[in-house]
Amino acid sequence: LLPILLHSYLYRQSGAKELATFVLIGPSGAGKTSLLTLFANGATTTTHTSQVPQTAQCQLPLTTRASEDRYRSENDDSARTQPQFHVLDTPGHGKLRHHALSALTDTTKPLKGIVYVVDSAELSSTAGLTEAAEYLHEILLVLQKRHTQGKTAKGPQGVAVLIAANKQDVFTSLPAGIVKTKLEEEMAKVRLTKSKGLLDSGVGSEDDAGADEESNWLGEYGARTFTFAQMEEHGIEVSVVGGNVLPDETGKTVTDDWWAWVGDNL
Ligand code: GDP
């Protein structure tokens, strides 16, 4: 009986506070659903194409330290419950992306971070790179606006973004450092194209167009190059970290650094 009582007590304790939420976003086929399964079960199973967002309740593995645990003494051996959190998977298909976008502005859940999953082998093709950069541009712009609007309302809301450079086990995949620079370069192009579109539309007076252009410009206004560091001013901390959800030929999955990022941002 005791374990049951203890379990329900702990359950109620954890339920008292709304669990931190992380949202999985990215192009179709990048590995989001596989990652959700891993976060939820610690192992992958076959996935199906998701049409609607799925949520899983997950727990940090014992090997990963949560940020709140960092200052614990090595000698402190009082029971430690690993924190739990929610992970929301969103469909990557173009027509279903509104699910992801609305998850970012849903103020009922404590959004702690976004995991933007990319297939690191796909990024060496122009089409793959463009798709990944356009979608990421859209997501970061929503987060930037959320931060700007938060300044006037409930205070700015910062958020962490992990770009999970997945499928590092695939021979043709690009390493995380290259994934970062390729995405930054491509996003500078996307940003320029979008701002030209706004100017060409010629709506409103010139002043209106100027203000509109500035609020729709991602990162440092007017800058020629785009870097993820430009997002810090908007409370958005971007990290690019490589890994593979599926085991490589030696049977190894590489996800420890992603778990560590979750632990740091809980
Ligand atoms: P989603 O559309 O982003 O949810 O992607 P899925 O999770 O459905 O994965 C798409 C395909 O990529 C599936 O066939 C997965 O088995 C495969 N996949 C996912 N992660 C990896 C990985 O790390 N390495 C390799 N080689 N394949 C992966």
Side-chain angles (χ1 to χ4, degrees), residues 26-35 47-50 89-90 92 117 119 166-170 243-247:
S28 287
K32 296 178 294 299
T33 309
S34 309
L35 188 56
T47 69
H48 61 93
T49 303
S50 37
D89 184 18
T90 62
V117 187
D119 178 335
N166 192 27
K167 307 200 188 181
Q168 289 296 323
D169 59 302
V170 176
N244 50 278
V245 195
L246 290 196

Side-chain angles (χ1 to χ4, degrees), residues 223-242:
R224 200 141 53 93
T225 54
F226 172 79
T227 61
F228 290 124
Q230 290 173 14
M231 301 313 302
E232 280 166 24
E233 203 183 311
H234 300 283
I236 305 163
E237 188 85 44
V238 184
S239 332
V240 188
V241 181

Side-chain angles (χ1 to χ4, degrees), residues 110-129:
L111 178 69
K112 286 298 170 100
I114 314 295
V115 181
Y116 188 80
V117 187
V118 294
D119 178 335
S120 312
E122 278 292 311
L123 297 191
S124 37
S125 82
T126 312
L129 180 61

